[in-house]
Amino acid sequence: MNITQKINDAPMVYEVVTKARGVEEADFDDAVDDPIDSEEVYGLIRSINDPEHPLTLEQLHVANKEHIYVDDQVNHVLIEFTPTIPHCSMATLIGLCIRVRLLRSLPERFKIDIKVRQGTHQSEDQVNKKLNDKERVAAALENTYLLDVVNQCLATAA
Protein backbone atom coordinates (compact mmCIF):
# COMPACT_ATOMS: atom_id res chain seq x y z
CA MET A 1 0.00 0.00 0.00
CA ASN A 2 1.22 3.47 -0.82
CA ILE A 3 1.43 5.62 2.34
CA THR A 4 -0.15 8.52 0.42
CA GLN A 5 -3.39 6.56 -0.02
CA LYS A 6 -5.57 7.46 2.94
CA ILE A 7 -7.78 4.84 4.56
CA ASN A 8 -9.56 7.44 6.71
CA ASP A 9 -9.91 10.61 4.63
CA ALA A 10 -11.72 12.63 7.30
CA PRO A 11 -10.64 11.63 10.79
CA MET A 12 -12.22 13.24 13.82
CA VAL A 13 -9.83 15.89 15.20
CA TYR A 14 -10.04 16.78 18.87
CA GLU A 15 -8.93 19.93 20.64
CA VAL A 16 -5.64 19.57 22.46
CA VAL A 17 -5.67 20.83 26.02
CA THR A 18 -2.14 21.39 27.25
CA LYS A 19 -1.74 21.20 30.99
CA ALA A 20 1.67 22.07 32.34
CA ARG A 21 3.05 19.67 34.86
CA GLY A 22 4.08 21.32 38.12
CA VAL A 23 7.81 21.67 38.57
CA GLU A 24 9.28 21.34 42.03
CA GLU A 25 12.77 21.93 43.34
CA ALA A 26 13.18 18.19 43.91
CA ASP A 27 12.78 17.63 40.14
CA PHE A 28 16.28 19.06 39.66
CA ASP A 29 17.90 17.06 42.47
CA ASP A 30 19.59 13.92 41.13
CA ALA A 31 19.63 12.43 44.63
CA VAL A 32 15.82 12.32 44.75
CA ASP A 33 14.08 9.26 43.29
CA ASP A 34 11.89 10.44 40.40
CA PRO A 35 9.66 7.55 39.30
CA ILE A 36 8.31 7.46 35.76
CA ASP A 37 4.52 7.76 35.61
CA SER A 38 1.75 7.68 33.02
CA GLU A 39 1.83 11.45 32.59
CA GLU A 40 5.51 11.34 31.65
CA VAL A 41 4.96 8.47 29.20
CA TYR A 42 1.97 10.28 27.67
CA GLY A 43 4.20 13.31 27.19
CA LEU A 44 6.56 11.14 25.16
CA ILE A 45 3.95 9.74 22.77
CA ARG A 46 1.25 12.40 22.47
CA SER A 47 3.09 14.41 19.80
CA ILE A 48 3.89 11.46 17.52
CA ASN A 49 2.50 12.19 14.06
CA ASP A 50 -0.09 9.90 12.54
CA PRO A 51 1.36 8.15 9.44
CA GLU A 52 -1.64 9.17 7.29
CA HIS A 53 -2.38 12.70 8.46
CA PRO A 54 -0.39 15.75 9.59
CA LEU A 55 -1.97 15.34 13.02
CA THR A 56 -0.69 13.98 16.30
CA LEU A 57 -1.88 10.87 18.12
CA GLU A 58 -3.25 13.22 20.78
CA GLN A 59 -5.27 15.27 18.27
CA LEU A 60 -6.83 12.08 16.89
CA HIS A 61 -7.43 10.58 20.37
CA VAL A 62 -5.37 7.58 19.35
CA ALA A 63 -3.33 8.08 22.52
CA ASN A 64 -4.95 8.99 25.84
CA LYS A 65 -3.33 9.39 29.25
CA GLU A 66 -6.12 7.29 30.79
CA HIS A 67 -4.98 4.28 28.72
CA ILE A 68 -1.37 4.33 29.86
CA TYR A 69 -0.39 2.18 32.81
CA VAL A 70 3.03 2.50 34.42
CA ASP A 71 4.39 0.50 37.32
CA ASP A 72 7.81 1.94 38.10
CA GLN A 73 8.29 -0.60 40.91
CA VAL A 74 8.21 -3.58 38.53
CA ASN A 75 9.52 -1.68 35.47
CA HIS A 76 6.46 -2.16 33.30
CA VAL A 77 4.65 0.15 30.86
CA LEU A 78 1.40 -0.77 29.11
CA ILE A 79 0.05 1.49 26.37
CA GLU A 80 -3.39 0.88 24.93
CA PHE A 81 -4.15 2.95 21.85
CA THR A 82 -7.34 3.45 19.85
CA PRO A 83 -7.19 3.44 16.03
CA THR A 84 -9.36 6.07 14.35
CA ILE A 85 -11.38 3.41 12.50
CA PRO A 86 -11.97 -0.31 13.23
CA HIS A 87 -10.24 -1.45 10.02
CA CYS A 88 -7.25 0.93 10.26
CA SER A 89 -4.40 -0.56 8.23
CA MET A 90 -1.96 1.78 9.99
CA ALA A 91 -2.58 0.34 13.48
CA THR A 92 0.57 -1.79 13.44
CA LEU A 93 2.66 1.13 12.18
CA ILE A 94 1.23 3.44 14.86
CA GLY A 95 2.01 0.86 17.54
CA LEU A 96 5.53 0.46 16.14
CA CYS A 97 6.05 4.24 16.30
CA ILE A 98 4.93 4.25 19.94
CA ARG A 99 7.25 1.34 20.76
CA VAL A 100 10.27 2.95 19.07
CA ARG A 101 9.63 6.27 20.81
CA LEU A 102 9.52 4.56 24.21
CA LEU A 103 12.53 2.33 23.47
CA ARG A 104 14.53 5.44 22.59
CA SER A 105 13.31 7.46 25.59
CA LEU A 106 12.74 5.20 28.60
CA PRO A 107 15.44 3.42 30.60
CA GLU A 108 16.19 -0.09 29.32
CA ARG A 109 14.86 -1.62 32.56
CA PHE A 110 11.26 -1.15 31.38
CA LYS A 111 9.23 -3.88 29.72
CA ILE A 112 6.95 -2.16 27.23
CA ASP A 113 3.65 -3.64 26.07
CA ILE A 114 1.72 -1.92 23.29
CA LYS A 115 -1.85 -2.98 22.59
CA VAL A 116 -4.85 -1.90 20.59
CA ARG A 117 -7.69 -1.15 23.02
CA GLN A 118 -10.07 -4.05 23.22
CA GLY A 119 -12.96 -3.81 20.78
CA THR A 120 -11.51 -0.93 18.74
CA HIS A 121 -9.99 -2.85 15.80
CA GLN A 122 -11.24 -5.79 13.79
CA SER A 123 -7.81 -7.48 13.88
CA GLU A 124 -6.69 -6.45 17.36
CA ASP A 125 -5.31 -9.89 18.29
CA GLN A 126 -3.06 -10.03 15.21
CA VAL A 127 -1.92 -6.42 15.65
CA ASN A 128 -1.16 -6.98 19.34
CA LYS A 129 0.80 -10.14 18.53
CA LYS A 130 2.94 -8.28 15.97
CA LEU A 131 3.58 -5.32 18.27
CA ASN A 132 4.76 -7.40 21.20
CA ASP A 133 6.91 -9.96 19.37
CA LYS A 134 10.56 -8.89 19.66
CA GLU A 135 11.62 -10.72 16.50
CA ARG A 136 8.86 -9.17 14.41
CA VAL A 137 9.63 -5.69 15.76
CA ALA A 138 13.35 -6.17 15.06
CA ALA A 139 12.62 -7.39 11.53
CA ALA A 140 10.32 -4.43 10.89
CA LEU A 141 13.00 -2.00 12.02
CA GLU A 142 15.53 -3.59 9.66
CA ASN A 143 13.31 -2.50 6.75
CA THR A 144 14.81 0.87 5.78
CA TYR A 145 11.58 2.14 4.20
CA LEU A 146 9.57 1.29 7.30
CA LEU A 147 12.21 2.80 9.57
CA ASP A 148 12.12 6.02 7.51
CA VAL A 149 8.33 6.20 7.95
CA VAL A 150 8.68 5.62 11.72
CA ASN A 151 11.35 8.32 11.94
CA GLN A 152 9.12 10.75 10.03
CA CYS A 153 6.30 10.10 12.48
CA LEU A 154 8.69 10.67 15.38
CA ALA A 155 10.36 13.76 13.89
CA THR A 156 7.94 16.13 15.61
CA ALA A 157 7.69 14.19 18.88
CA ALA A 158 8.70 16.48 21.73
Side-chain angles (χ1 to χ4, degrees), residues 76-111:
H76 184 251
V77 174
L78 168 63
I79 307 279
E80 293 181 336
F81 69 97
T82 307
T84 58
I85 52 177
H87 56 279
C88 179
S89 64
M90 297 290 159
T92 305
L93 181 56
I94 290 168
L96 185 62
C97 290
I98 293 170
R99 177 171 295 286
V100 169
R101 175 69 169 143
L102 296 180
L103 287 173
R104 291 177 180 175
S105 303
L106 292 177
E108 288 183 22
R109 65 184 170 91
F110 279 96
K111 179 184 184 313

Side-chain angles (χ1 to χ4, degrees), residues 8-27:
N8 185 1
D9 285 331
M12 186 80 138
V13 179
Y14 298 85
E15 183 179 343
V16 174
V17 179
T18 306
K19 184 178 120 183
R21 186 175 187 159
V23 178
E24 300 174 13
E25 190 174 318
D27 292 339

Side-chain angles (χ1 to χ4, degrees), residues 20-73:
R21 186 175 187 159
V23 178
E24 300 174 13
E25 190 174 318
D27 292 339
F28 300 102
D29 187 351
D30 290 337
V32 174
D33 185 32
D34 186 20
I36 293 173
D37 60 13
S38 60
E39 192 170 331
E40 186 169 352
V41 172
Y42 181 65
L44 292 170
I45 67 169
R46 63 187 263 187
S47 58
I48 294 172
N49 271 346
D50 180 81
E52 273 191 309
H53 304 283
L55 300 165
T56 66
L57 299 186
E58 179 181 36
Q59 290 173 306
L60 295 170
H61 273 211
V62 171
N64 286 297
K65 187 170 39 174
E66 294 77 27
H67 305 144
I68 298 172
Y69 310 95
V70 179
D71 190 336
D72 195 66
Q73 298 273 326

